[in-house]
Amino acid sequence: MKSLGGTAADTVYLTITKLFTTLSGILITKILSVGLSLEEYGTYSQALVIISVVSSLIFCGLGDCINYYYNGNAISDNEAKKKRVVNTIFLIEYILWLVSFLAIVLGQNLIVTFFSNPALASLAILIGLKPALENFLYFYQVLFVSIGKARLIATRNLIVSIGKVICIFCVMYFIHELWFILFVLIMLDVIQLLIFKLILGKHNFIINPFKSNLKFIPIILSYGLPMALYSITNMFSRDIDKLVVGNLSDESTLAIYTNCARILPFDIFAVSLSTILIPYIIRYIGNNQKKKAVSVFRTYLQAGYYTVWIFAAAVLLVTDLIIPFLYSEQYLSGKNIFIIYILDSMLRFSSMHLILTATGKTKKLMYYSLISVVLNFILNIILYFILGIIGPAIATFVSTLIYTMMVLNASAKELGVKWTDLFIKRDVMLVLLKIIIVGVPMYFAEKLLLNTGLQSYIVMFIIAGIFVLINFLWNFKNIKNILHRINRIKSN
């Protein structure tokens, strides 16, 4: 099909490989959910929350800085100078890593007290090592996309993901120790970083923090610090509910909440597409080609809701079946949390902040994120005591809705249009209507198949699969047109 060439082909390839890497992550979660007790998984979840928080704190907007300064001309159009800026960014991250590592190791008693879990003390060193490794992996992926090697990085990610599944399965089967699980994950990150460094070196791009230029630090931070505050507040918006539940409840409750609040990969195509399109949006806006930027962003949003809403609706149809499939039967008590997070994912169907980051309006993102996290924190506490464990999930959904509308409205203003102009309104309504029309009979078909005694997982795949297939066939013409428009972006 001609639609699958150029940019569309890159996006589809990234999506396929990202799908497999995401599925490997889901498989790892399944292995751990079945192999660990609720208390053990709760401790593991607490470790992951700490890693996520620290990773966001020391990210400091530096990944966005790489994209902004290497793909744009904000500092220079000289390739050598751009590479020196990248080296300086890596140096800043190394310094932040050292500070965070010491803070976690020396402050482990505070962490144990906050979560009321002494088991975290033995994991402190490993927890301290992990955050920056995740950030460095992201930095390298940005660079690979920037030099036109998105497919290469995706293939490497796929191989590493398969290795992770095998390693975690072996650890659970033979050793069954939490510290060793984290140790293996860290070693895999290190191996992946070494591979990335080697491959990038073959493309004449060697990362060396010692070849930094300290005079670039103020320039980098002038863009990065507002992005850092945005990243930090965005992280708290994402993880504050888990921090609240972790502090106010026990490990078992947190284990159930963490898994049921896990973000499923509905936006996998949209994320892959944004990875490809970010450099184009930055260039169009930098060259004051706002009409082209609007067209690209509208196409991106359309691709997002076509994929995310259809996949999310399919999962909503089979909620009672998919929770035991993804985790285990003991997590069914978190069904309502799972549903709320599916609805939350339908709001987050794209990276709404793309336009504001491309225009350098990072302070706006910072303010919006700050409003969101304060609102989220207040609602988390209030709704937890009023509604129980489901309260923080509702708080997250409400704050996401408000944040999304603020960012969308500001993005539209930057492009000189109304926020409603970023969507094809009739198309949005038709997509939702088709989802409902297909969903209603499939809901009753699920009940009918279960009553026949057919195995529940088979029913799950049949119902979800047919639902997705019908919707994609019904929307095939529009999807094909979207792919055509994506390809024209590269040729323009």
Side-chain angles (χ1 to χ4, degrees):
M1 182 165 113
K2 287 185 179 179
S3 301
L4 294 180
T7 307
D10 289 343
T11 304
V12 171
Y13 185 84
L14 276 179
T15 301
I16 292 171
T17 52
K18 196 181 289 287
L19 175 62
F20 280 102
T21 56
T22 305
L23 288 176
S24 72
I26 292 173
L27 186 54
I28 288 172
T29 301
K30 173 72 172 181
I31 293 169
L32 295 176
S33 298
V34 173
L36 298 174
S37 67
L38 278 176
E39 289 75 15
E40 288 174 324
Y41 195 88
T43 300
Y44 176 73
S45 298
Q46 290 169 345
L48 292 186
V49 169
I50 298 167
I51 290 167
S52 175
V53 169
V54 175
S55 177
S56 296
L57 288 173
I58 66 174
F59 184 78
C60 218
L62 297 175
D64 299 286
C65 286
I66 292 176
N67 228 328
Y68 185 69
Y69 289 118
Y70 187 74
N71 287 312
N73 297 319
I75 287 183
S76 172
D77 57 1
N78 181 276
E79 183 72 13
K81 189 173 286 188
K82 286 183 177 182
K83 289 180 179 179
R84 191 166 286 262
V85 172
V86 171
N87 283 327
T88 307
I89 290 171
F90 270 80
L91 175 65
I92 296 171
E93 184 64 18
Y94 274 111
I95 295 170
L96 292 173
W97 185 12
L98 178 60
V99 172
S100 67
F101 177 79
L102 292 174
I104 289 172
V105 173
L106 298 177
Q108 58 184 278
N109 290 334
L110 294 174
I111 294 172
V112 167
T113 301
F114 180 85
F115 287 103
S116 303
N117 186 4
L120 288 170
S122 62
L123 303 175
I125 292 177
L126 296 174
I127 292 172
L129 290 172
K130 190 86 167 70
L133 293 175
E134 295 186 356
N135 289 348
F136 284 134
L137 286 171
Y138 179 78
F139 292 176
Y140 270 103
Q141 291 185 62
V142 170
L143 290 172
F144 272 95
V145 173
S146 298
I147 64 172
K149 298 297 177 183
R151 292 194 183 194
L152 182 61
I153 198 74
T155 303
R156 295 290 173 176
N157 287 348
L158 175 60
I159 295 171
V160 171
S161 297
I162 294 171
K164 277 187 179 180
V165 173
I166 295 171
C167 289
I168 293 299
F169 178 81
C170 292
V171 170
M172 287 301 302
Y173 188 80
F174 294 107
I175 301 175
H176 200 89
E177 290 287 343
L178 275 181
W179 71 268
F180 202 75
I181 292 171
L182 284 175
F183 175 77
V184 168
L185 291 174
I186 288 170
M187 287 299 99
L188 288 170
D189 284 348
V190 171
I191 292 170
Q192 195 172 359
L193 282 171
L194 291 174
I195 293 172
F196 287 173
K197 185 177 180 66
L198 180 64
I199 296 173
L200 203 59
K202 290 182 178 180
H203 291 89
N204 298 316
F205 200 150
I206 299 174
I207 300 298
N208 185 354
F210 293 106
K211 290 187 177 180
S212 304
N213 190 332
L214 299 183
K215 76 175 184 180
F216 289 134
I217 292 180
I219 301 171
I220 292 169
L221 294 182
S222 67
Y223 179 85
L225 283 179
M227 282 305 300
L229 291 172
Y230 158 72
S231 177
I232 291 167
T233 52
N234 195 42
M235 171 275 300
F236 275 116
S237 292
R238 186 181 66 244
D239 288 336
I240 201 167
D241 53 344
K242 300 174 188 68
L243 289 169
V244 169
V245 173
N247 180 254
L248 298 177
S249 64
D250 56 24
E251 290 93 327
S252 298
T253 304
L254 179 63
I256 293 170
Y257 188 93
T258 300
N259 268 1
C260 289
R262 189 175 296 278
I263 304 298
L264 296 178
F266 304 124
D267 63 347
I268 196 163
F269 181 81
V271 171
S272 299
L273 183 57
S274 70
T275 303
I276 299 295
L277 295 183
I278 284 174
Y280 293 101
I281 293 175
I282 290 175
R283 287 167 198 157
Y284 287 151
I285 292 176
N287 296 328
N288 202 31
Q289 296 175 295
K290 289 190 175 181
K291 284 187 177 180
K292 284 188 176 181
V294 169
S295 177
V296 172
F297 194 54
R298 185 186 289 124
T299 299
Y300 168 64
L301 292 176
Q302 191 179 16
Y305 62 71
Y306 263 96
T307 51
V308 173
W309 290 355
I310 290 173
F311 285 124
V315 171
L316 283 175
L317 270 175
V318 294
T319 300
D320 289 322
L321 308 179
I322 202 169
I323 292 176
F325 176 77
L326 291 175
Y327 313 118
S328 68
E329 292 281 349
Q330 59 188 342
Y331 290 90
L332 269 173
S333 58
K335 173 185 172 182
N336 290 332
I337 297 164
F338 184 85
I339 291 172
I340 291 170
Y341 261 84
I342 297 297
L343 298 175
D344 184 75
S345 296
M346 294 176 78
L347 283 178
R348 301 174 191 257
F349 65 83
S350 61
S351 300
M352 291 292 185
H353 65 279
L354 282 182
I355 299 299
L356 294 182
T357 55
T359 55
K361 295 297 190 291
T362 53
K363 287 185 179 179
K364 279 190 177 181
L365 277 177
M366 177 189 70
Y367 295 141
Y368 295 155
S369 296
L370 190 58
I371 292 170
S372 175
V373 76
V374 171
L375 176 65
N376 200 354
F377 177 71
I378 294 171
L379 289 177
N380 259 272
I381 301 295
I382 294 173
L383 294 181
Y384 180 86
F385 286 108
I386 294 175
L387 302 174
I389 191 175
I390 196 175
I394 295 173
T396 300
F397 177 80
V398 171
S399 60
T400 297
L401 176 61
I402 293 172
Y403 168 79
T404 300
M405 291 308 301
M406 288 191 297
V407 172
L408 192 60
N409 188 56
S411 299
K413 286 182 178 178
E414 290 297 324
L415 294 172
V417 297
K418 297 178 182 178
W419 73 267
T420 51
D421 294 331
L422 295 175
F423 296 91
I424 305 171
K425 292 180 280 293
R426 182 175 179 274
D427 189 57
V428 171
M429 296 304 296
L430 281 175
V431 170
L432 290 173
L433 182 61
K434 290 173 183 177
I435 286 174
I436 294 171
I437 291 172
V438 179
V440 171
M442 295 308 299
Y443 172 81
F444 291 106
E446 177 195 354
K447 305 302 179 188
L448 183 64
L449 288 174
L450 287 173
N451 288 335
T452 65
L454 194 62
Q455 208 277 335
S456 60
Y457 293 160
I458 295 175
V459 174
M460 179 190 74
F461 281 112
I462 290 173
I463 296 299
I466 292 176
F467 175 85
V468 170
L469 181 62
I470 292 174
N471 273 284
F472 274 111
L473 288 176
W474 201 352
N475 293 292
F476 178 77
K477 184 178 178 180
N478 288 338
I479 293 171
K480 186 177 179 181
N481 288 336
I482 291 170
L483 293 175
H484 276 304
R485 292 202 301 275
I486 292 171
N487 276 337
R488 287 201 296 270
I489 291 168
K490 196 165 189 177
S491 61
N492 290 336

